[in-house]
Amino acid sequence: MIEDKEQIYILDTRNLPVRIGLIVFLLISLIFGWFAVRWQLGNLLADITNPNEPNANRTAELAKSFAPNDPMTNWLLASIKKESNPEYTEGFEKVIRLSPNDYRWWIQLGRAYEQANKSKEAEKAFVRAVEIAPTYTFPHWQLGNFYLRQDRVEEAFKELKTAAQNNAIYREQVFSIAWDYYDKDTGKVDSIAGNSPDVRAGLAKFYAIKDLPNKSLELWNTLTPQQKQSNTHIAREITQAFYEKRYMLTAVEFVNQLGIEKGVKAESIHNGGFEENLGNPESTYFGWKITPTEKMRFQLSNTKKKEGKRSLQVSFNGFDKLEINNIYQTIALKPMSKYEISFWVKTQELNSGGLPKLEILSANDNQILATSQEFPGGTNDWKQISVNFTTPKETEGIGLRTSRGYCGEKCPIFGTFWYDEFKIEKLSGE
């Protein structure tokens, strides 16, 4: 039987050749380590130094002395020299010789050539950067902007379109360039989006920012349901933009599509009978926004209701603020149109010098458009109250707000009322 045996080799340091070998090895290691540290130190100094700093030239010389053949140290020196001599390119050419396959240095060389009025050489450098990194956004962005400065529009937007498709960060910048260059021609801007769903979603957001709600919605609706689902985060940003800018008719479309508040639609009071649960006021657009406050309590009531299964119960226990303002709903409506809002109220031991009432406000500026009569004091069975109003020009929505009559400072209110069956009817207008 053959047994495997481990063999252990021991260096005899008393042997002269072994000693010499170890010394040589240590010296080589130390020399290599020294040069590696110098190279790293030179690269670090160059990397953290801005060419415009007061002592940049001295730092650059020191960095190069540590790492004479490092592209970064040579780039720093070249950039400093170019500050005083715009036509200087020699240092950037040396950087390329040291690192010919890094697209970033080709872009730097292209910029240097362009500033030196060497357009042909600059184009070759930018094109080479694209060839080295064809899937990267930055080279296409640089080449596109170069072509645009050269007034080679078709070639410019071909590259910028690629940049927009590849990177969301550059996307809005590309849209802005096209928007300004083509004098707000949406057809030209649309052509940049092409068939890419992500780019079209981004362009829909861009149009929302530019106050073009119909164009934004039109572009968004070119996406399939799956593509919309993939871009939900953008849709939420669009919704927020429209809501804040008071484009309520378009905002309600996005809210509905996203399923943020199911069943929401224009010219309709959402959850007018309080049959659905109340949502979080922070994330609600077109539903009831009800915020608890001291000495005022809210709850959905199953025992008192005009129709359906529930109503909203509001109870006061010495609430004495001048305004209520924490029962609110936004409704998307057509401008310059006449509407009637009706609702039912029931009261129990409701007493105050300033009883509750309903106010209708313009969603654009919160100006009061109409006010209901004050709710009946004491204890009363269900009573229907109606309010007529007309939406102002260029106003796409209103706010329903529960308020109270003025009765001076520290005027308390006690008792309970119930809301139910809010409805809206269009009487005339667009």
Side-chain angles (χ1 to χ4, degrees), residues 10 25 42 59 67 142 145 151 165 174 186 216 239 257 294 308 376:
I10 301 174
F25 174 76
T59 305
Q142 291 294 330
N145 277 280
D151 204 25
Q165 290 173 342
V174 173
T186 58
S216 176
T239 302
Q257 287 192 29
E294 188 179 3

Side-chain angles (χ1 to χ4, degrees), residues 165-410:
Q165 290 173 342
N166 291 346
N167 191 291
I169 295 175
Y170 284 93
R171 200 165 287 160
E172 277 192 30
Q173 297 182 57
V174 173
F175 296 151
S176 294
I177 290 173
W179 179 258
D180 293 335
Y181 191 88
Y182 290 122
D183 195 23
K184 304 179 183 179
D185 186 333
T186 58
K188 294 287 188 181
V189 181
D190 285 353
S191 66
I192 293 174
N195 296 319
S196 168
D198 290 345
V199 181
R200 279 185 286 155
L203 186 54
K205 175 185 170 183
F206 178 80
Y207 285 142
I209 295 170
K210 292 297 182 181
D211 294 328
L212 295 174
N214 294 331
K215 183 63 180 175
S216 176
L217 182 60
E218 173 192 328
L219 193 62
W220 176 259
N221 283 333
T222 64
L223 303 178
T224 66
Q226 293 78 12
Q227 291 167 348
K228 289 179 180 180
Q229 187 65 34
S230 299
N231 289 282
T232 299
H233 62 292
I234 292 180
R236 287 184 178 275
E237 292 176 11
I238 294 172
T239 302
Q240 189 65 33
F242 284 144
Y243 189 81
E244 291 176 355
K245 291 172 177 286
R246 296 306 188 233
Y247 293 116
M248 297 303 183
L249 293 171
T250 314
V252 79
E253 286 282 342
F254 277 89
V255 168
N256 213 355
Q257 287 192 29
L258 289 170
I260 296 174
E261 296 166 278
K262 293 182 180 179
V264 166
K265 55 185 178 180
E267 298 185 300
S268 176
I269 298 178
H270 184 60
N271 194 18
F274 302 96
E275 302 301 307
E276 301 173 18
N277 290 330
L278 302 175
N280 183 350
E282 299 283 331
S283 57
T284 297
Y285 290 100
F286 296 99
W288 290 107
K289 296 183 179 183
I290 299 179
T291 308
T293 188
E294 188 179 3
K295 298 181 180 181
M296 184 176 179
R297 189 166 61 90
F298 307 93
Q299 67 180 50
L300 294 173
S301 172
N302 296 315
T303 57
K304 305 282 196 304
K305 64 267 188 182
K306 179 66 176 84
E307 293 182 22
K309 297 180 179 179
R310 297 196 295 195
S311 65
L312 178 68
Q313 178 179 324
V314 183
S315 300
F316 301 98
N317 184 24
F319 178 88
D320 60 2
K321 294 180 180 179
L322 294 177
E323 297 178 336
I324 298 177
N325 298 347
N326 57 342
I327 307 173
Y328 193 92
Q329 181 172 147
T330 301
I331 307 169
L333 299 177
K334 299 287 183 64
M336 299 181 67
S337 300
K338 188 173 182 179
Y339 294 91
E340 180 182 77
I341 285 180
S342 62
F343 57 99
W344 291 81
V345 170
K346 178 182 176 68
T347 62
Q348 180 176 310
E349 299 179 358
L350 187 64
N351 295 297
S352 177
L355 293 168
K357 59 183 178 179
L358 185 76
E359 291 180 340
I360 299 172
L361 304 90
S362 166
N364 283 20
D365 53 16
N366 287 331
Q367 292 296 311
I368 296 175
L369 304 179
T371 304
S372 77
Q373 65 190 72
E374 291 187 3
F375 303 166
T379 299
N380 298 273
D381 201 2
W382 290 104
K383 177 184 179 179
Q384 188 177 38
I385 299 177
S386 299
V387 189
N388 290 359
F389 65 95
T390 300
T391 51
K393 184 180 179 181
E394 298 180 357
T395 298
E396 295 187 1
I398 61 159
L400 299 184
R401 180 175 71 183
T402 302
S403 183
R404 63 178 300 198
Y406 180 74
C407 56
E409 297 284 342
K410 299 296 181 182

Side-chain angles (χ1 to χ4, degrees), residues 113-160:
Y113 278 144
E114 186 179 8
Q115 291 175 12
N117 296 316
K118 297 180 179 180
S119 299
K120 290 183 179 180
E121 291 85 349
E123 181 181 2
K124 290 179 181 178
F126 286 126
V127 169
R128 181 58 185 150
V130 171
E131 291 172 348
I132 292 172
T135 61
Y136 284 29
T137 300
F138 196 54
H140 291 284
W141 168 258
Q142 291 294 330
L143 180 57
N145 277 280
F146 168 76
Y147 283 143
L148 201 60
R149 290 190 292 270
Q150 297 294 313
D151 204 25
R152 295 161 63 174
V153 180
E154 186 175 342
E155 294 166 287
F157 281 104
K158 178 183 176 182
E159 297 299 328
L160 293 174

